[in-house]
Amino acid sequence: MDSLIAAAGRALTAGDVLGALKHVGWRDDPPALALRGIAMAQLGDYPRARELLRRATRGFGPREPLARARCVVAEAEVALALRDFGTAPQRLEDAAQALAARGDRANARHAQLIALRRHLLLGRLDAARAAVGALDLTDAPAAHHALAALAAAEIALRSLRTRDARLALQRARVAAAQAGISALSAEIAQVEASLQRPAARILHAGHEQPVTLDEVEALLASGTLVVDAVRHAVRDATGMASFARRPVLFALLRALASHWPGDVDRDTLIARVFRIRQPDQTHRARLRVEIGRLRRLLAPFADLTASAHGFLLSPHGARGVVVLAPPVDGEQGALHGLLADGMAWSTSALALATGDSQRSVQRALAAMEAAGQVRAIGRARAQRWVAPPLGGFTTILLLPATSPGA
C-alpha cells in the first residue's frame, strides 16, 4: 500500500472526507477508486459512489479477492442507501464468505449487517430474525453491537413486543455512545421517540382514540375482538385470521364492527361494500353470499346473525369489539410507512417491499401524488418518490409484515 492510499484511509476512518480526497481524488487506480467511492458515499453522493466502487471492483479483478469483496460490500451498502434492491443478495453473501475465509471478520460481519438491514427494509422479519441469530459479535466493535441491537429493536417493535424493543434500544444506546458515532445515536433516539407517539387509532362507538404501540399491544392481549384495519385481519388474545386477500369480506367486517353493538341494515352494507346506492334483489342476493362466507371465517371469533333489518356481529363471550385503524386513512398505508424514512424510493423497490405489482404501486403513487402526499423526482427509470414525514405519528405499524402473525 502506498503512502497516499494509507493516508486517505486514515482520513476516512477519522471522518475527514475532504482530506481523503486530497490524497486520492485525482487517481484512477482500483485502491484509489475504492476510497473515492467510500468518500462520495459519506458525502451523500450515492450514484457517484456506486459508479466509483464498481470501477474499483472491476479493476481489482479475481486475483485480488479480498479487495474485490470489500468493494462489493461497500457497493451493497450504497445500494441500500439508494433503496436499490436489484442486486442479487447472493453476491453480498459470497463477499461475506470470501472476507471471513481470509480473516477479515469485521468486514464479513459488516456484510451480514447490511444483509440484515435489507431484510428489514423488505419486511422479511423471519429472515431478519435468523440473520440476528447468526451474527457472531465476539470481539466486535461497539458500532456493530449498536447496529445489531438496533435491528433487534426494530424486529421487536414490528412484532409488537415493546418490552423487548426497549431493552434492545438500551443496549444499542450504550454501544453507540461507546462507538462515538453521533448519527447512530441520533437514529436510536429517533426510534425511542417513536414509542411515545401514536401508532394507530381505535374506533369504537363513533369515537376515535389515538394509541401508542404499548396500548396496541395491551389491546391485542386484552381479549377484545380487534378488527385490524392496519393489517386487514381479525384478532383476539387467542388467534388471528387474515383477510388481506378478501377485501370485500373485510369491508363487510369493518362495517359491522364499526356499528357494534348495534346491527347494520342491508342497504347500508351494500352501499358501503359494493358502492351501490339503489340496490336490487341481485345485490341483496350477493350480500347474502358474502355474509355466508364471512360467517364461516369468523366462526372461531364471533357469530354473525341476521336481525330484522340487517346483520349483527356478536363476539364469543362478553368481549367488546373495536376497529384498529391506521394513523392515516386510505389504502396506501404501506407506501406511507416505507416513504416515511425520508429516502427516495423507486417504484420497483416499493413493489418489492409491499409485495404488490409495479402497476398497482404506480397507480397508488399517482393517487398519492394527486393528493399532495408524495412527490416524484427524476424521470423514466431514474424516477424516485419521496414523501414528507407523517407529523405526530409513528409509521412502524404501516410497514410490511409489522404485526404478529403477519
Side-chain angles (χ1 to χ4, degrees):
M1 182 184 298
D2 64 49
S3 59
L4 290 177
I5 293 293
R10 287 194 298 272
L12 281 178
T13 303
D16 182 7
V17 178
L18 296 180
L21 289 174
K22 285 180 182 176
H23 294 299
V24 297
W26 47 274
R27 289 174 49 171
D28 284 334
D29 53 291
L33 287 172
L35 290 171
R36 288 170 59 193
I38 295 170
M40 287 297 108
Q42 292 188 12
L43 289 173
D45 189 349
Y46 297 121
R48 179 64 173 157
R50 181 160 62 178
E51 177 195 340
L52 291 167
L53 288 167
R54 284 176 173 172
R55 288 173 60 192
T57 304
R58 289 194 297 270
F60 282 124
R63 293 185 179 181
E64 297 181 77
L66 191 60
R68 182 185 175 90
R70 288 170 178 163
C71 288
V72 170
V73 172
E75 186 185 334
E77 189 166 20
V78 170
L80 209 61
L82 286 167
R83 299 298 186 263
D84 181 352
F85 306 114
T87 305
Q90 186 63 43
R91 188 167 181 251
L92 180 60
E93 188 175 333
D94 291 344
Q97 291 175 357
L99 291 165
R102 289 163 178 79
D104 189 350
R105 294 179 57 196
N107 278 314
R109 191 185 305 108
H110 192 63
Q112 290 178 297
L113 288 166
I114 293 171
L116 167 57
R117 184 63 189 155
R118 187 178 191 275
H119 289 315
L120 286 173
L121 284 171
L122 293 176
R124 297 168 182 171
L125 296 193
D126 288 341
R129 289 189 193 96
V132 168
L135 280 174
D136 179 5
L137 294 172
T138 306
D139 300 327
H144 284 182
H145 280 280
L147 289 170
L150 184 59
E154 183 167 344
I155 293 169
L157 281 176
R158 293 166 73 169
S159 304
L160 275 178
R161 293 182 285 107
T162 54
R163 182 175 180 276
D164 292 342
R166 284 192 167 88
L167 292 174
L169 285 170
Q170 187 177 4
R171 296 196 304 272
R173 187 172 61 251
V174 172
Q178 291 173 349
I181 303 175
S182 55
L184 187 53
S185 296
E187 184 178 354
I188 293 165
Q190 188 175 5
V191 177
E192 287 182 311
S194 71
L195 284 163
Q196 309 303 322
R197 292 196 294 268
R201 298 170 294 153
I202 289 179
L203 310 180
H204 175 62
H207 299 287
E208 176 180 319
Q209 177 188 352
V211 285
T212 64
L213 287 170
D214 289 298
E215 291 166 330
V216 173
E217 185 179 7
L219 173 67
L220 295 179
S222 68
T224 302
L225 185 66
V226 179
V227 175
D228 185 350
V230 181
R231 304 294 299 164
H232 285 198
V234 60
R235 307 172 184 277
D236 64 11
T238 62
M240 183 273 289
S242 175
F243 287 75
R245 298 185 182 279
R246 312 297 293 268
V248 171
L249 297 189
F250 186 78
L252 278 173
L253 176 58
R254 178 169 178 168
L256 290 162
S258 298
H259 287 77
W260 187 87
D263 62 351
V264 187
D265 69 66
R266 292 171 177 78
D267 288 352
T268 299
L269 287 173
I270 291 171
R272 179 82 64 87
V273 178
F274 304 146
R275 303 184 187 282
I276 294 171
R277 297 295 178 191
Q278 296 181 334
D280 56 24
Q281 289 306 316
T282 61
H283 302 127
R284 295 188 178 91
R286 183 185 172 190
L287 177 64
R288 286 195 296 273
V289 171
E290 300 293 354
I291 286 288
R293 291 170 176 162
L294 179 60
R295 183 180 287 124
R296 286 193 292 274
L297 292 175
L298 275 182
F301 306 95
D303 295 323
L304 187 53
T305 54
S307 64
H309 304 289
F311 295 94
L312 174 67
L313 184 64
S314 303
H316 296 163
R319 302 175 299 172
V321 179
V322 300
V323 175
L324 183 66
V328 290
D329 290 321
E331 299 298 321
Q332 296 89 24
L335 296 179
H336 280 294
L338 293 167
L339 290 167
D341 66 2
M343 303 301 292
W345 288 69
S346 66
T347 302
S348 60
L350 289 168
L352 191 62
T354 59
D356 295 328
S357 69
Q358 289 196 40
R359 181 168 295 183
S360 297
V361 170
Q362 188 69 46
R363 283 198 297 267
L365 288 168
M368 293 170 71
E369 185 179 32
Q373 297 170 335
V374 299
R375 181 166 57 90
I377 301 173
R379 301 178 65 85
R381 296 184 64 182
Q383 187 178 61
R384 296 291 184 272
W385 297 90
V386 294
L390 289 176
F393 283 96
T394 179
T395 55
I396 195 78
L397 288 181
L398 296 178
L399 294 171
T402 55
S403 298

